Amino acid sequence: MPPFTIDPFSHYLGYLATDQETLRELLDSYNGLIVPGTIAAWQQQGTGGFVTTLSALPQAPPYLIDPRSPLFQQGLPGAKASHVALADLLGDPGLVQIRDPSPTDFDDQRLSVIAEHWVEFNTVYTDLPSDKTLDKYARRLKEPIAPHNRQAPEGILPPYFAASGMDDDWWELSKVLFDLTEARAQIPCYRVVCAQDSAALDELLADVDDNQVVVWVSGLDETKAEVSALATYREAIAAATSRDQKTFALYGGFFSVLLRGAGLRGSGHGVGFSEHREWRELPASGAPPARFYWRRAHRFVQPDLAQNLYEQEPSITDCGCPHCDGRGPIELKYHDLMKHSVWCRDQEIQTFGGVAPEAAAQVLRDEYDALEAQIGELRLLPAVRSRARTQIAHLPRWADALS
Ligand SMILES: [Zn+2]
């Protein structure tokens, strides 16, 4: 299946309605889509219409629907409409409650209802959008779509919970949910192992005998993580590889691409942001502001900082992509910023997907030295220079975590 078998590294994008333009126009720059269950449930027509219409194209990206079930491991006093829609879809409106639930709230009967509804939703997904909706999206694609070419999800991601280790009762529930889902599914099921931190990942992966596993280390922000957390993550992936387990990261940035050397087969990220995710839903007000992907530093930064650097020395923020076309970071419109970011990641995968860890670490150290020297020479306000240095500080940490 593509998330585990594409060479050198599979590149999946999280779906959001605002990204439809990027997803349509950059079909050559990614391999698949991950549709959040919340959005799939809440915007059934729009999301289903877009995703399944896209799936009917000859060069269609396959897709998976993430059940986003760790959402229901916590009280949701400020539940959104999409949370309620997902709970309803899972046949269990009581999943949305004010207080934090306990694992003992989930007996086998309840888990069975959730698994059954989830399999059903995945099974009928292509039939949900109305003909009118499908026509609308086919017109936007400017290609004739044969309805019978619409593809089902390439597999089912069974509902799961975030776990702190093998002894965590939530882990036991996740395993039951997987078995219940797999028993009903007509298509392959891929287990999501969601570890509450990188230290828990290894024992969770070692506790299952699947040879293809989707991994998620909650809250692992590659650009902020300590060397030890990143190294622990790499070691867990390498250990899985040595057991013949193929792994795909539900979230990942450039560091995840470098884990190809440890055997990681691919990773996903939101368009323009979301290279990591915390299992616990945090109150957020709207979408994050659009960021500029700084290719040489392999991370997103504020467009104004990138513009400052670009105006002093364009080579610092140079990307070589067709979407920027020589314009500075703040001259890019929203969709250009998004396309630029997806294009850059694709190029990074082509460039680094087959590079051995030691060689990749050296490239990172060399790039850090070059950027550090350039930033030191530019005529920048001290506060701007300091911000720029902060935004490259992860490069030597990544190098250390690889070595
Ligand atoms: Zn660009």
Side-chain angles (χ1 to χ4, degrees):
M1 280 289 128
F4 303 99
T5 57
I6 286 183
D7 278 321
F9 190 83
S10 67
H11 180 197
Y12 273 52
L13 297 176
Y15 169 87
L16 265 185
T18 44
D19 301 325
Q20 287 182 1
E21 180 179 326
T22 300
L23 299 173
R24 258 195 328 259
E25 294 183 16
L26 266 70
L27 284 169
D28 292 340
S29 299
Y30 66 97
N31 304 118
L33 282 180
I34 295 171
V35 186
T38 38
I39 296 176
W42 185 47
Q43 303 171 335
Q44 273 192 25
Q45 287 296 316
T47 303
F50 176 80
V51 171
T52 62
T53 306
L54 200 66
S55 80
L57 293 175
Q59 72 277 38
Y63 65 96
L64 293 161
I65 311 174
D66 175 6
R68 286 280 171 100
S69 38
L71 190 61
F72 304 121
Q73 253 176 288
Q74 64 194 310
L76 293 165
K80 298 180 194 162
S82 60
H83 301 163
V84 174
L86 179 58
D88 288 349
L89 186 147
L90 293 171
D92 191 343
L95 286 170
V96 174
Q97 56 174 13
I98 292 172
R99 287 177 207 288
D100 282 353
S102 148
T104 55
D105 296 338
F106 292 84
D107 58 21
D108 284 359
Q109 169 64 22
R110 191 174 185 193
L111 297 175
S112 183
V113 168
I114 292 170
E116 187 179 336
H117 281 77
W118 187 242
V119 171
E120 169 73 9
F121 181 62
N122 277 266
T123 307
V124 302
Y125 196 62
T126 46
D127 300 327
L128 293 176
S130 68
D131 291 347
K132 200 174 136 207
T133 305
L134 294 171
D135 284 348
K136 179 173 99 179
Y137 286 105
R139 280 199 302 278
R140 286 191 193 170
L141 283 174
K142 301 189 182 79
E143 297 210 33
I145 298 294
H148 64 269
N149 284 339
R150 282 183 279 138
Q151 304 294 315
E154 60 180 321
I156 295 180
L157 301 179
Y160 58 92
F161 294 115
S164 59
M166 268 174 66
D167 297 332
D168 188 340
D169 291 339
W170 291 109
W171 174 242
E172 198 53 41
L173 295 181
S174 296
K175 290 200 287 185
V176 174
L177 276 168
F178 181 85
D179 292 342
L180 289 168
T181 306
E182 194 179 43
R184 289 171 170 78
Q186 305 289 324
I187 58 175
C189 287
Y190 303 116
R191 190 189 306 269
V192 179
V193 170
C194 178
Q196 292 197 5
D197 54 45
S198 59
L201 184 62
D202 181 52
E203 66 177 57
L204 296 178
L205 287 174
D207 191 42
V208 294
D209 57 8
D210 322 13
N211 48 27
Q212 295 177 323
V213 192
V214 176
V215 300
W216 168 15
V217 176
S218 174
L220 185 71
D221 181 343
E222 298 170 2
T223 63
K224 293 196 178 123
E226 301 285 338
V227 173
S228 58
L230 295 170
T232 303
Y233 183 32
R234 174 179 61 78
E235 286 157 11
I237 296 295
T241 305
S242 69
R243 288 188 298 267
D244 284 333
Q245 276 180 327
K246 290 192 172 75
T247 48
F248 169 84
L250 202 49
Y251 301 94
F254 182 66
F255 184 77
S256 75
V257 176
L258 299 177
L259 290 187
R260 177 67 185 91
L264 188 70
R265 299 310 314 251
S267 65
H269 62 93
V271 175
F273 64 103
S274 295
E275 293 188 331
H276 62 95
R277 187 180 178 87
E278 183 87 36
W279 76 265
R280 192 173 274 281
E281 194 81 357
L282 302 168
S285 50
R291 303 277 182 107
F292 175 77
Y293 193 76
W294 184 5
R295 186 173 173 188
R296 285 181 63 189
H298 309 288
R299 66 169 303 165
F300 287 96
V301 295
Q302 305 276 7
D304 73 298
L305 173 64
Q307 183 71 17
N308 258 302
L309 299 172
Y310 164 82
E311 285 173 1
Q312 290 279 318
E313 177 51 62
S315 72
I316 292 194
T317 58
D318 189 34
C319 54
C321 96
H323 308 286
C324 294
D325 196 23
R327 290 177 294 169
I330 61 164
E331 296 168 72
L332 300 178
K333 295 200 172 67
Y334 177 81
H335 286 298
D336 292 327
L337 279 170
M338 299 300 116
K339 290 175 199 170
H340 155 86
S341 71
V342 171
W343 187 91
C344 285
R345 175 57 43 79
D346 182 50
Q347 291 297 305
E348 289 173 334
I349 289 171
Q350 304 312 325
T351 308
F352 286 89
V355 175
E358 299 73 26
Q362 193 55 51
V363 172
L364 292 173
R365 291 195 178 100
D366 291 346
E367 190 67 290
Y368 174 78
D369 290 343
L371 284 169
E372 171 62 31
Q374 273 188 299
I375 290 167
E377 286 163 10
L378 298 182
R379 289 158 50 89
L380 296 168
L381 291 171
V384 175
R385 195 188 313 279
S386 159
R387 270 176 79 200
R389 286 195 162 126
T390 306
Q391 301 299 314
I392 59 172
H394 58 289
L395 294 172
R397 285 204 298 272
W398 286 359
D400 289 347
L402 289 174
S403 326

